[in-house]
């Protein structure tokens, strides 16, 4: 997993509520057996018409936002299906950070497994960053994970909270499985006890 | 010190390790696997030279991609990419030695229907699957939730999951339900009341007389949609109905182990003095048969209501509602029971069990459909066989329904069963998102009885008028 320390990039505004994972990556693109290559189909049904032509009004099709690295989104981003194809598609497009008032639980977890930072902020901070993001190519934000600060185009700053363990893993690009396997003895001993207590499992 | 909730008890019984900051390692008793969210996880294992730690606790079945037409044994019914995914699962199941129900097996079906049916899901267990509707298994008093593919790989390799504990929410449905009101109406009404993010950060326990009165099938329907309310999981404390359902299933404990299991299972309830972070109470008698009008499961109204105006909402929901109305092609003020339907879909992990088919067949008996197409997709091969034995299949086909083989089908349209742009569907599935059932398709969610009623009249219909 790629480390996340400091990110500077254009932020795209997507104020819509309840942007679900079917919107982020529609089901017809889940038939891949790889993790890569989904960026071209990110937000496919919002981004392209029936003939596959770009819909010019869609934010990521606008010249200013084609290289966006950050999305500022409405409430409950990532709701619905557990498909990790959603963060894979975001990452493949180049999005490394999503900012909203709230995220759906599974999507939120999936982001951290892929080096994407989801930031939860109060409504007034999201509103302010949404205003910043509306400025097109001037909508450059800098997200500093170590300091837990977002700096806007006018130099204003917004602080954010994050679970210390998740921060540590993102900053260092740590692989969860490797870390858990180091606790192998604890898992062995749990299994021994459980086999006594609940032998039917 | 206050007592424990059911969630607390299951959590404590599965805690392998807890760090100072609360990050915990939770042991997983059952890992269900399907073809769409697992290939990259198995590939990850191979690349790292890892094995599946507990293949005997890992159960796989293909369901999302598989065609549900009777000719599906013919490989040409599947697109090449779907076939590759199903074949990858065939191979992964064999290579890693996990339990497997291939497409050709009569026990194949939707993973969340197969698990309980085969007795893999038991009270007090932790159950995960790379699928958000894993919440279904909470109906047994099992802590069950969806995970992403990286977590699938983590569970395959370690049989554990890194978790932080959720908060406890109690959703109590008091009193009795009125005639024509079902488990689906309960679960949709709860989401209508709390919103799709209302459960974010919580595990919900459903309780109250109306929940106790539900069959296991109904309880699975309620818990299935806990995720649509944003909750990590939904739970219902096990009781005699649960034990009765589980007993004798192929992978349920037997003999002395059954007795030992029962001793523990009977302790699986929330203590009277347990602490709840949030409580929602709804009167059973206040719940009506409901349908969704928009593109979020929270867009729920009684069938007797009318399409709302976008400006009747507040904040960001105004824009979302307007977008929904435009997408759904609906005018505010239109009575819901005047909305004409093209297609009816009965099935899915929400409502593809035998009781759902019985409820729909009871409405359809001796009647003909007035919609362009209607299909019933049983949740498993065994549900299908039972419905045929009970004569339900004949009722469906005589009414004009297509009688399909088991799979996820039109719930998510990853297979040939899809809506066309603008096609309007009465569906018993769980998501009405834009494009969910096919690009441009318009989905109204409802109970199996309500979907059957819509099939007969050709429009959204109050099932109580047909009872």
């Amino acid at each position: 997993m790629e480390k996340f320390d400091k990110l500077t990039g254009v932020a795209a505004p997507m104020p819509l509520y309840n942007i679900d994972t079917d919107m982020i990556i529609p089901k017809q693109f889940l038939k891949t057996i790889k993790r890569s290559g989904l960026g071209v189909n990110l937000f496919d049904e919002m981004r392209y018409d029936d003939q596959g032509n770009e819909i010019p009004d869609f934010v990521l099709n606008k010249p200013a936002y084609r290289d966006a690295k950050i999305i500022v989104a409405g409430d409950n981003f990532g709701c619905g299906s557990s498909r990790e194809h959603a963060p894979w598609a975001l990452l493949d497009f180049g999005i490394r950070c999503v900012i909203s008032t709230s995220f759906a639980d599974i999507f939120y977890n999936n982001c951290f497994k892929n080096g994407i930072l989801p930031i939860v902020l109060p409504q007034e901070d999201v509103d302010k960053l949404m205003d910043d993001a509306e400025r097109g190519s001037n909508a450059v934000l800098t997200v500093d994970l170590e300091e837990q600060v977002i700096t806007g185009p006018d130099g204003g700053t917004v602080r954010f909270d994050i679970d210390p363990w998740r921060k540590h893993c993102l900053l260092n690009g740590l692989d969860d499985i490797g870390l858990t396997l180091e606790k192998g003895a604890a898992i062995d001993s749990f299994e021994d006890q459980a086999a006594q207590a609940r032998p039917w499992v | 010190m206050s007592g424990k909730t059911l969630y607390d008890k299951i959590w404590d019984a599965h805690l392998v390790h807890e760090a100072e900051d609360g990050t915990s390692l939770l042991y997983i008793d059952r890992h269900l696997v399907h073809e769409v969210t697992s290939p990259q996880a198995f590939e990850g294992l191979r690349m790292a030279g890892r094995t599946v730690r507990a293949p005997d606790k890992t159960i796989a079945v293909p369901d999302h991609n598989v065609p549900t037409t009777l000719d599906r044994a013919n490989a040409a019914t599947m697109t090449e990419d779907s076939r590759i995914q199903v074949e990858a699962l065939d191979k992964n199941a064999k290579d890693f030695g996990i339990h497997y129900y291939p497409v050709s097996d009569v026990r194949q079906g939707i993973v969340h229907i197969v698990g309980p049916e085969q007795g893999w899901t038991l009270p007090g267990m932790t159950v995960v699957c790379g699928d958000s509707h894993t919440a279904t298994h909470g109906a047994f008093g099992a802590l069950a939730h969806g995970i992403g593919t990286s977590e699938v790989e983590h569970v395959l390799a370690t049989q554990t999951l890194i978790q932080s504990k959720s908060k406890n929410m109690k959703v109590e449905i008091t009193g009795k339900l009125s005639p024509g009101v079902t488990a689906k109406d309960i679960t949709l009404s709860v989401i209508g009341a709390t919103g799709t993010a209302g459960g974010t950060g919580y595990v919900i326990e459903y309780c109250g007389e109306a929940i106790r009165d539900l069959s296991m099938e109904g309880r699975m329907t309620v818990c299935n949609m806990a995720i649509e309310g944003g909750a990590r999981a939904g739970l219902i404390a096990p009781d005699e109905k649960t034990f009765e359902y589980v007993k004798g299933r192929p992978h349920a404990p037997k003999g002395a182990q059954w007795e030992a299991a029962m001793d523990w299972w009977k302790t699986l309830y929330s203590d009277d003095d347990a602490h709840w972070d949030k409580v929602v109470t709804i009167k059973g008698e206040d719940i009506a048969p409901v349908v969704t009008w928009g593109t979020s499961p929270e867009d729920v109204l009684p069938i007797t209501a009318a399409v709302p105006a976008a400006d009747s909402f507040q904040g960001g929901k105004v824009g979302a509602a307007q977008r929904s109305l435009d997408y759904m092609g609906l005018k505010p003020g239109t009575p819901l029971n005047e909305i004409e339907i093209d297609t009816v879909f009965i099935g899915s992990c929400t409502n593809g069990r035998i009781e759902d088919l019985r409820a729909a067949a009871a409405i359809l008996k001796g009647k003909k459909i007035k919609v362009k197409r209607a299909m019933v997709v049983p949740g498993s091969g065994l549900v299908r066989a039972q419905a045929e034995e009970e004569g339900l299949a004949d009722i469906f086909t005589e009414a004009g329904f297509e009688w399909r083989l088991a799979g996820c089908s039109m719930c998510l349209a990853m297979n040939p069963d899809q809506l066309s742009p603008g096609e309007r569907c009465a569906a018993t599935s769980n998501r009405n998102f834009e494009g969910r059932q096919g690009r441009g398709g318009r989905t109204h969610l409802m109970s199996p009885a309500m979907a059957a009623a819509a099939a007969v009249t050709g429009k959204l219909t109050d099932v109580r008028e047909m009872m």
Side-chain angles (χ1 to χ4, degrees):
Chain A
M1 187 176 87
E2 197 180 334
K3 291 180 189 178
F4 188 111
D5 40 25
K6 203 171 192 181
L7 174 73
T8 297
V10 169
M14 295 191 74
L16 187 62
Y17 272 33
N18 296 331
I19 292 178
D20 58 67
T21 54
D22 278 77
M23 281 183 187
I24 298 172
I25 185 79
K27 71 268 165 204
Q28 60 269 34
F29 305 109
L30 309 190
K31 296 186 182 187
T32 175
I33 55 172
K34 298 185 197 148
R35 294 175 196 244
S36 55
L38 289 165
V40 66
N41 302 114
L42 176 71
F43 295 113
D44 192 86
E45 292 182 3
M46 303 164 93
R47 197 164 146 202
Y48 306 105
D49 65 18
D50 292 346
Q51 277 72 49
N53 302 310
E54 286 189 4
I55 297 169
D57 282 350
F58 181 67
V59 61
L60 297 181
N61 289 334
K62 294 179 183 173
Y65 298 106
R66 297 182 79 90
D67 296 319
K69 291 181 181 168
I70 299 164
I71 289 175
V72 184
D75 294 6
N76 200 28
F77 188 88
C79 59
S81 161
S82 63
R83 58 189 70 166
E84 197 162 318
H85 308 68
W88 294 339
L90 288 165
L91 190 66
D92 198 56
F93 180 90
I95 303 292
R96 295 288 311 276
C97 175
V98 186
I99 300 167
S100 177
T101 53
S102 62
F103 292 88
D105 190 44
I106 303 174
F107 175 84
Y108 186 77
N109 285 332
N110 284 342
C111 283
F112 288 101
K113 312 292 181 192
N114 292 283
I116 296 175
L117 173 62
I119 299 178
V120 179
L121 289 174
Q123 187 71 54
E124 59 267 27
D125 288 337
V126 173
D127 289 346
K128 178 177 176 299
L129 294 170
M130 193 74 77
D131 281 345
D132 288 340
E134 300 283 359
R135 299 190 204 175
S137 48
N138 293 324
V140 175
L141 302 181
T142 296
V143 179
D144 185 334
L145 177 56
E146 181 66 52
E147 298 300 322
Q148 296 178 217
V149 169
I150 304 167
T151 308
D154 55 6
T157 58
V158 173
R159 284 196 59 77
F160 62 91
D161 287 329
I162 181 171
D163 173 85
W165 173 249
R166 288 181 146 148
K167 175 179 174 178
H168 172 73
C169 289
L170 269 185
L171 282 171
N172 296 287
L174 296 178
D175 164 25
D176 276 349
I177 297 177
L179 293 169
T180 298
L181 286 172
E182 288 174 7
K183 299 195 180 78
I187 302 173
D188 288 342
S189 116
F190 179 90
E191 279 183 336
D192 290 343
Q193 286 169 24
Q196 298 292 319
R198 296 190 298 280
W200 60 87
V201 172
Chain B
M1 194 177 134
S2 64
K4 288 181 175 184
T5 63
L6 172 56
Y7 171 50
D8 297 337
K9 290 180 182 179
I10 302 174
W11 176 275
D12 291 349
H14 291 85
L15 197 56
V16 174
H17 179 266
E18 185 173 3
E20 278 175 22
D21 67 359
T23 302
S24 301
L25 202 58
L26 213 58
Y27 194 79
I28 301 302
D29 292 326
R30 291 288 180 264
H31 185 190
L32 308 175
V33 174
H34 66 81
E35 79 278 21
V36 176
T37 57
S38 68
Q40 294 87 349
F42 285 111
E43 187 59 21
L45 288 188
R46 282 197 182 87
M47 284 165 64
R50 291 169 176 151
T51 58
V52 175
R53 182 180 173 100
D56 55 324
K57 293 171 180 168
T58 311
I59 301 100
V61 58
D63 56 4
H64 283 58
N65 265 308
V66 294
T68 61
T69 45
L70 301 181
D71 60 351
R72 76 176 178 197
N74 176 358
T77 56
M78 252 195 267
T79 58
E80 192 189 354
D81 44 8
S82 287
R83 197 168 60 245
I84 289 170
Q85 262 190 349
V86 173
E87 285 171 1
L89 188 62
D90 291 343
K91 180 171 166 32
N92 288 328
K94 187 161 169 271
D95 288 358
F96 290 95
I98 62 182
H99 296 280
Y100 190 48
Y101 302 99
V103 178
S104 57
D105 192 310
V106 70
R107 297 167 296 177
Q108 178 271 344
I110 305 171
V111 62
H112 307 308
I113 292 190
V114 173
E117 202 168 69
Q118 293 300 319
W120 290 115
T121 308
L122 299 172
M125 280 185 163
T126 46
V127 181
V128 297
C129 175
D131 188 281
S132 58
H133 292 110
T134 310
T136 312
H137 307 265
F140 292 79
L143 176 61
H145 57 87
I147 55 177
T149 298
S150 294
E151 291 176 315
V152 169
E153 186 176 338
H154 191 279
V155 177
L156 288 172
T158 70
Q159 205 56 30
T160 64
L161 198 58
I162 300 169
Q163 289 276 286
S164 50
K165 200 169 176 200
S166 302
K167 291 180 282 185
N168 280 289
M169 186 193 305
K170 176 159 86 170
V171 173
E172 186 175 18
I173 314 294
T174 62
K176 300 278 183 196
L177 298 179
S178 307
V181 178
T182 68
K184 186 64 164 289
D185 301 299
I186 292 179
T187 203
L188 282 171
S189 297
V190 170
I191 298 161
T194 60
T196 47
T200 303
Y202 292 92
V203 164
I204 294 176
E205 182 177 336
Y206 300 95
C207 60
E209 186 183 357
I211 297 292
R212 288 280 139 233
D213 284 350
L214 292 175
S215 65
M216 286 313 295
E217 285 85 350
R219 293 179 189 182
M220 283 188 255
T221 300
V222 170
C223 288
N224 173 276
M225 291 190 70
I227 182 69
E228 257 57 66
R232 175 165 298 172
L235 283 170
I236 295 174
D239 60 12
E240 288 304 323
K241 278 184 192 171
T242 321
F243 308 142
E244 187 60 30
Y245 181 99
V246 167
K247 196 169 189 178
R249 301 218 168 240
H251 297 279
K254 295 177 179 64
Q257 290 209 350
W258 172 264
E259 299 304 326
M262 283 286 281
D263 285 346
W264 189 54
W265 293 348
K266 286 180 177 173
T267 69
L268 297 175
Y269 53 83
S270 291
D271 297 329
D272 289 340
D273 58 345
H275 170 74
W276 299 98
D277 300 291
K278 190 170 174 181
V279 177
V280 174
T281 305
I282 295 176
K283 288 183 188 166
E285 57 263 37
D286 288 349
I287 301 175
V290 293
V291 295
T292 62
W293 55 268
T295 55
S296 168
E298 70 189 8
D299 300 337
V300 174
L301 282 172
I303 181 64
T304 48
V307 176
D311 60 13
S312 66
F313 296 92
Q314 290 181 339
K317 185 67 186 169
V318 175
Q322 188 57 54
R323 187 181 167 95
S324 284
L325 292 171
D326 294 343
Y327 180 85
M328 293 296 289
L330 293 174
K331 285 200 178 65
T334 307
L336 291 171
N337 62 12
E338 289 180 8
I339 296 173
E340 294 189 358
I341 295 296
D342 302 306
T343 297
V344 173
F345 167 63
I346 296 176
S348 84
C349 58
T350 314
N351 283 124
R353 285 168 285 268
I354 189 70
E355 184 177 277
D356 302 313
L357 305 195
R358 287 182 193 138
I363 300 296
L364 291 168
K365 193 167 187 180
K367 299 194 177 75
K368 297 282 182 201
I369 62 168
K370 271 195 198 162
V371 288
K372 288 178 195 139
R373 62 170 170 159
M375 63 169 85
V376 187
V377 185
S380 72
L382 293 180
V383 169
R384 181 180 152 93
Q386 189 177 349
E388 287 178 346
E389 200 176 294
E390 292 183 16
L392 307 180
D394 293 336
I395 294 173
F396 286 120
T397 50
E398 282 162 20
F401 270 79
E402 294 172 45
W403 178 241
R404 296 295 192 93
L405 298 177
C408 295
S409 184
M410 202 185 264
C411 175
L412 88 166
M414 271 195 77
N415 44 67
D417 305 340
Q418 302 193 11
L419 296 180
S420 310
E423 189 174 352
R424 191 179 295 279
C425 181
T428 66
S429 44
N430 41 55
R431 292 198 173 121
N432 50 356
F433 296 161
E434 289 179 22
R436 171 80 179 182
Q437 294 195 284
R439 184 170 184 148
R442 294 164 171 169
T443 304
H444 296 275
L445 303 175
M446 64 198 72
S447 73
M450 287 284 285
V456 170
T457 62
K459 54 188 188 175
L460 298 182
T461 297
D462 190 337
V463 68
R464 292 171 296 191
E465 294 165 8
M466 296 178 66
M467 292 170 63

